Amino acid sequence: MSVVPMRWAEDGLLLLDQRCLPLETTWLTLNDWQGVRDAIRDMAVRGAPAIGIAAAYGMALAARSKVERSEAATGLAASRPTAVNLFWAIDRIMALDTWDYGTVLREAQAIEAEDRACNERIGAHGAGLVPDRARILTICNTGSLATGGHGTALGIIRTAHAQGKVVQVYACETRPRQQGLRLTAWELLQDQIPFACIADGAAGSLMRAREVDLVVAGADRIAANGDTANKLGTYTLAVLARSHGIPFVIAAPESTLDPKTENGALIPIEERDPTELLEVGGVRVGPIGCPVFNPAFDLTPGKLIDAIVTEQGVHRAPYRFR
Ligand code: MRU
């Protein structure tokens, strides 16, 4: 699949603006680290691994402009709080023993290429968990747009589909920003994988009707005990899956593991602007003065997760990441 969320070019970082997809294909050209920080914060680029890759390129732009490296690192790290890949990528650049532009750029390119390779391996390991004639439910966008390519949860679906095992995907719309409807649907259409989008609230009745064999989701941060922060609604799916006896699987690269964080209660959960909920497609639908609670992520306890698939293989509960 040829979709990529960003490309490095002579004049800077070209970023596919995911806020405009699927109706418009707009590429932003970012020339400084502040532009990358704003693109991450405003979700022109999103998805934990893609955020990390973008931040690494942001560091390369800072090195090119000879900006103080701690200034760029601190600024980029302040863009979004939950996805640990952001901090992992910045730390990796900070660990270089030089601030030479060429070296930093090569490291950013390596981070991108490694992520793609990780995803292929996640796909291969995860496809082993997919039964024949599987109907798989997923949430948010965890595909090529969210990663260096191929995807994590969507990468498993892609690989299993290529093996002839997938007969149907159910893509949750993923309110409020609709990454499932706008982005996952766009990727599935291009790959000709059979699917239907569902309103988030339809997941329970589909499971009850025995239409779902497996639920697979991505992750923004996985604590040492397997507690997982992912897109709002993931926890609901995990509870529903357990109550209907359906396997619930998380897919993520090892760069999403945060062993220093003992459990999920310690993971910072981002709260975003109320307009994300009050508006649909830029049109105000909530009443003026309506109070809103808008967390971008929720926490799924490790005990509800049947398997966590990384490039290293399939981890099973009880989880103890180090
Ligand atoms: O707010 P987003 O769109 O950045 O949230 C993305 C998710 O929650 C994904 O499931 C997660 O980052 C994994 S992407 C491979």
Side-chain angles (χ1 to χ4, degrees):
M1 151 124 203
S2 57
V3 171
V4 284
M6 70 197 88
R7 249 186 272 138
W8 183 260
E10 269 310 294
D11 45 350
L13 182 63
L14 302 182
L15 200 71
L16 180 56
D17 190 342
Q18 298 190 32
R19 297 166 300 187
C20 306
L21 289 173
L23 300 181
E24 283 168 37
T25 305
T26 304
W27 287 87
L28 307 172
T29 304
L30 307 177
N31 297 301
D32 54 27
W33 72 263
Q34 292 95 333
V36 177
R37 173 200 60 200
D38 295 351
I40 295 172
R41 189 190 55 214
D42 300 341
M43 293 178 65
V45 60
R46 32 67 49 205
I51 291 171
I53 297 163
Y57 281 120
M59 291 294 279
L61 289 170
R64 186 172 77 177
S65 311
K66 304 203 184 319
V67 172
E68 180 59 45
R69 81 164 147 176
S70 61
E71 180 191 333
T74 308
L76 284 161
S79 55
R80 290 191 80 184
T82 304
V84 78
N85 309 61
L86 174 70
F87 311 103
W88 171 87
I90 294 169
D91 287 350
R92 192 161 144 178
I93 301 287
M94 291 299 275
L96 295 172
D97 57 11
T98 168
W99 187 226
D100 164 66
Y101 162 56
T103 311
V104 176
L105 176 59
R106 278 191 296 281
E107 191 69 4
Q109 289 168 326
I111 288 172
E112 181 178 18
E114 285 167 24
D115 187 65
R116 192 191 164 90
C118 285
N119 287 343
E120 298 281 354
R121 291 205 292 280
I122 290 167
H125 292 305
L129 303 174
V130 176
D132 283 338
R133 301 200 52 75
R135 296 152 309 167
I136 306 178
L137 189 142
T138 191
I139 185 168
C140 198
N141 172 266
T142 58
S144 296
L145 289 168
T147 64
H150 194 67
T152 56
L154 197 52
I156 291 177
I157 291 171
R158 275 201 169 103
T159 302
H161 177 258
Q163 295 172 355
K165 288 170 142 186
V166 179
V167 296
Q168 179 72 335
V169 175
Y170 291 107
C172 290
E173 174 192 8
T174 317
R175 281 287 291 151
R177 291 186 70 108
Q178 299 173 296
Q179 292 94 327
L181 179 67
R182 294 188 302 106
L183 308 177
T184 299
W186 190 66
E187 291 199 39
L188 289 168
L189 279 168
Q190 290 180 55
D191 276 15
Q192 301 187 343
I193 297 175
F195 76 100
C197 273
I198 58 166
D200 298 331
S205 45
L206 260 186
M207 291 192 207
R208 188 154 183 263
R210 304 249 149 257
E211 294 291 328
V212 178
D213 304 300
L214 178 70
V215 179
V216 54
D220 285 82
R221 194 187 293 225
I222 302 172
N225 68 347
D227 291 355
T228 294
N230 190 51
K231 181 50 57 195
L232 185 72
T234 304
Y235 170 57
T236 315
L237 295 178
V239 172
L240 283 168
R242 180 58 56 93
S243 124
H244 291 91
I246 298 166
F248 180 89
V249 171
I250 289 288
E254 298 263 326
S255 54
T256 305
L257 300 178
D258 183 16
K260 290 199 293 298
T261 296
E262 200 46 43
N263 59 61
L266 301 167
I267 299 177
I269 299 292
E270 177 182 18
E271 271 186 54
R272 293 189 61 86
D273 196 286
T275 52
E276 290 186 346
L277 199 74
L278 292 168
E279 296 180 355
V280 177
V283 177
R284 174 94 189 194
V285 289
I288 303 298
C290 174
V292 162
F293 172 51
N294 184 28
F297 305 101
D298 62 23
L299 273 173
T300 300
K303 64 177 192 298
L304 290 181
I305 302 170
D306 294 292
I308 296 178
V309 183
T310 73
E311 66 273 23
Q312 306 283 359
V314 177
H315 302 271
R316 297 278 185 182
Y319 305 102
R320 201 70 230 139
F321 295 113
R322 290 181 199 289

Short mmCIF file of all heavy atoms in Angstrom, two decimals, residues 43 46-49 51 80 140-142 146-147 152 179 218-220 230-231 297, ligand 1:
data_model
loop_
_atom_site.label_atom_id
_atom_site.label_comp_id
_atom_site.label_asym_id
_atom_site.label_seq_id
_atom_site.Cartn_x
_atom_site.Cartn_y
_atom_site.Cartn_z
N MET A 43 -3.25 17.81 15.11
CA MET A 43 -3.59 16.50 14.54
C MET A 43 -3.62 16.46 13.02
O MET A 43 -4.37 15.71 12.41
CB MET A 43 -4.88 15.95 15.15
CG MET A 43 -4.68 15.63 16.63
SD MET A 43 -6.13 15.02 17.50
CE MET A 43 -6.43 13.46 16.69
N ARG A 46 -1.25 12.22 13.16
CA ARG A 46 -1.72 11.62 14.41
C ARG A 46 -1.48 10.12 14.32
O ARG A 46 -1.12 9.59 13.28
CB ARG A 46 -3.19 11.99 14.73
CG ARG A 46 -4.14 12.21 13.61
CD ARG A 46 -4.47 11.00 12.80
NE ARG A 46 -4.82 9.86 13.64
CZ ARG A 46 -4.71 8.61 13.29
NH1 ARG A 46 -4.22 8.27 12.10
NH2 ARG A 46 -5.03 7.63 14.11
N GLY A 47 -1.71 9.45 15.48
CA GLY A 47 -1.34 8.04 15.57
C GLY A 47 0.03 7.97 16.23
O GLY A 47 0.97 8.66 15.80
N ALA A 48 0.14 7.15 17.28
CA ALA A 48 1.33 7.20 18.14
C ALA A 48 2.66 7.06 17.37
O ALA A 48 3.55 7.90 17.51
CB ALA A 48 1.22 6.14 19.24
N PRO A 49 2.83 6.02 16.53
CA PRO A 49 4.13 5.91 15.85
C PRO A 49 4.40 7.07 14.89
O PRO A 49 5.53 7.58 14.81
CB PRO A 49 4.03 4.58 15.10
CG PRO A 49 2.98 3.80 15.86
CD PRO A 49 1.99 4.83 16.29
N ILE A 51 3.37 10.13 15.12
CA ILE A 51 3.72 11.31 15.91
C ILE A 51 5.21 11.26 16.28
O ILE A 51 5.94 12.26 16.21
CB ILE A 51 2.86 11.37 17.20
CG1 ILE A 51 1.40 11.68 16.86
CG2 ILE A 51 3.40 12.42 18.16
CD1 ILE A 51 0.46 11.55 18.07
N ARG A 80 1.66 16.75 22.51
CA ARG A 80 0.58 15.85 22.96
C ARG A 80 1.13 14.98 24.10
O ARG A 80 2.26 14.51 24.02
CB ARG A 80 0.07 14.95 21.81
CG ARG A 80 -0.71 15.73 20.74
CD ARG A 80 -1.42 14.80 19.78
NE ARG A 80 -2.66 14.28 20.33
CZ ARG A 80 -3.43 13.37 19.70
NH1 ARG A 80 -3.06 12.88 18.52
NH2 ARG A 80 -4.54 12.94 20.25
N CYS A 140 -10.62 3.53 15.62
CA CYS A 140 -9.68 4.59 15.27
C CYS A 140 -8.98 4.26 13.95
O CYS A 140 -9.46 3.44 13.16
CB CYS A 140 -8.69 4.83 16.41
SG CYS A 140 -7.84 6.43 16.30
N ASN A 141 -7.85 4.88 13.71
CA ASN A 141 -7.02 4.53 12.55
C ASN A 141 -5.65 4.12 13.05
O ASN A 141 -4.97 4.90 13.72
CB ASN A 141 -6.90 5.69 11.56
CG ASN A 141 -5.88 5.34 10.47
OD1 ASN A 141 -4.71 5.68 10.59
ND2 ASN A 141 -6.32 4.64 9.45
N THR A 142 -5.29 2.90 12.71
CA THR A 142 -4.00 2.34 13.13
C THR A 142 -3.23 1.84 11.91
O THR A 142 -2.43 0.93 12.00
CB THR A 142 -4.23 1.17 14.10
OG1 THR A 142 -5.04 0.19 13.40
CG2 THR A 142 -4.96 1.59 15.36
N ALA A 146 -1.07 6.16 10.35
CA ALA A 146 -0.74 6.34 11.77
C ALA A 146 0.66 5.87 12.11
O ALA A 146 1.06 5.94 13.27
CB ALA A 146 -1.76 5.58 12.62
N THR A 147 1.39 5.40 11.11
CA THR A 147 2.67 4.71 11.36
C THR A 147 3.67 5.02 10.26
O THR A 147 3.41 5.84 9.37
CB THR A 147 2.43 3.19 11.38
OG1 THR A 147 1.98 2.78 10.08
CG2 THR A 147 1.40 2.77 12.43
N THR A 152 -0.49 -1.08 12.63
CA THR A 152 -0.39 -2.01 13.76
C THR A 152 -1.62 -2.92 13.79
O THR A 152 -1.58 -4.02 13.22
CB THR A 152 -0.21 -1.22 15.07
OG1 THR A 152 -1.29 -0.29 15.21
CG2 THR A 152 1.11 -0.47 15.08
N GLN A 179 -11.73 9.21 13.13
CA GLN A 179 -10.58 8.62 12.43
C GLN A 179 -10.96 7.30 11.75
O GLN A 179 -10.37 6.93 10.73
CB GLN A 179 -9.43 8.36 13.42
CG GLN A 179 -8.78 9.61 13.99
CD GLN A 179 -9.38 10.03 15.31
OE1 GLN A 179 -10.57 9.84 15.55
NE2 GLN A 179 -8.56 10.61 16.17
N GLY A 218 -5.15 -0.52 18.46
CA GLY A 218 -3.78 -0.05 18.64
C GLY A 218 -3.56 0.42 20.07
O GLY A 218 -4.35 0.14 20.97
N ALA A 219 -2.48 1.15 20.29
CA ALA A 219 -2.17 1.66 21.62
C ALA A 219 -1.36 2.95 21.50
O ALA A 219 -0.57 3.11 20.56
CB ALA A 219 -1.38 0.63 22.42
N ASP A 220 -1.58 3.82 22.46
CA ASP A 220 -0.76 5.04 22.57
C ASP A 220 0.30 4.90 23.65
O ASP A 220 1.34 5.56 23.59
CB ASP A 220 -1.65 6.25 22.84
CG ASP A 220 -2.36 6.64 21.56
OD1 ASP A 220 -3.39 6.01 21.24
OD2 ASP A 220 -1.85 7.52 20.85
N ASN A 230 -5.52 3.96 24.83
CA ASN A 230 -5.77 4.04 23.37
C ASN A 230 -7.01 4.90 23.15
O ASN A 230 -7.62 5.39 24.11
CB ASN A 230 -5.95 2.63 22.78
CG ASN A 230 -5.97 2.67 21.25
OD1 ASN A 230 -5.08 3.26 20.65
ND2 ASN A 230 -6.98 2.10 20.63
N LYS A 231 -7.35 5.08 21.90
CA LYS A 231 -8.45 5.97 21.53
C LYS A 231 -9.69 5.72 22.38
O LYS A 231 -10.06 4.58 22.63
CB LYS A 231 -8.74 5.77 20.04
CG LYS A 231 -9.83 6.64 19.46
CD LYS A 231 -9.67 8.12 19.78
CE LYS A 231 -8.35 8.69 19.33
NZ LYS A 231 -8.06 10.01 19.95
N PHE A 297 -8.44 9.75 24.94
CA PHE A 297 -8.08 8.34 25.12
C PHE A 297 -8.79 7.77 26.34
O PHE A 297 -9.29 8.52 27.17
CB PHE A 297 -6.56 8.20 25.31
CG PHE A 297 -5.77 8.83 24.18
CD1 PHE A 297 -5.19 10.08 24.33
CD2 PHE A 297 -5.65 8.18 22.96
CE1 PHE A 297 -4.50 10.67 23.29
CE2 PHE A 297 -4.96 8.77 21.91
CZ PHE A 297 -4.38 10.02 22.07
O1 MRU B 1 -5.80 10.88 18.66
P1 MRU B 1 -5.11 9.97 17.67
O2 MRU B 1 -5.80 9.89 16.36
O3 MRU B 1 -3.64 10.28 17.55
O4 MRU B 1 -5.23 8.54 18.37
C1 MRU B 1 -4.69 7.42 17.71
C2 MRU B 1 -4.92 6.17 18.42
O5 MRU B 1 -5.49 6.12 19.49
C3 MRU B 1 -4.32 4.94 17.81
O6 MRU B 1 -5.09 3.81 18.09
C4 MRU B 1 -2.91 4.72 18.37
O7 MRU B 1 -2.17 5.92 18.33
C5 MRU B 1 -2.18 3.66 17.62
S1 MRU B 1 -1.80 4.14 15.95
C6 MRU B 1 -0.92 2.82 15.29
#
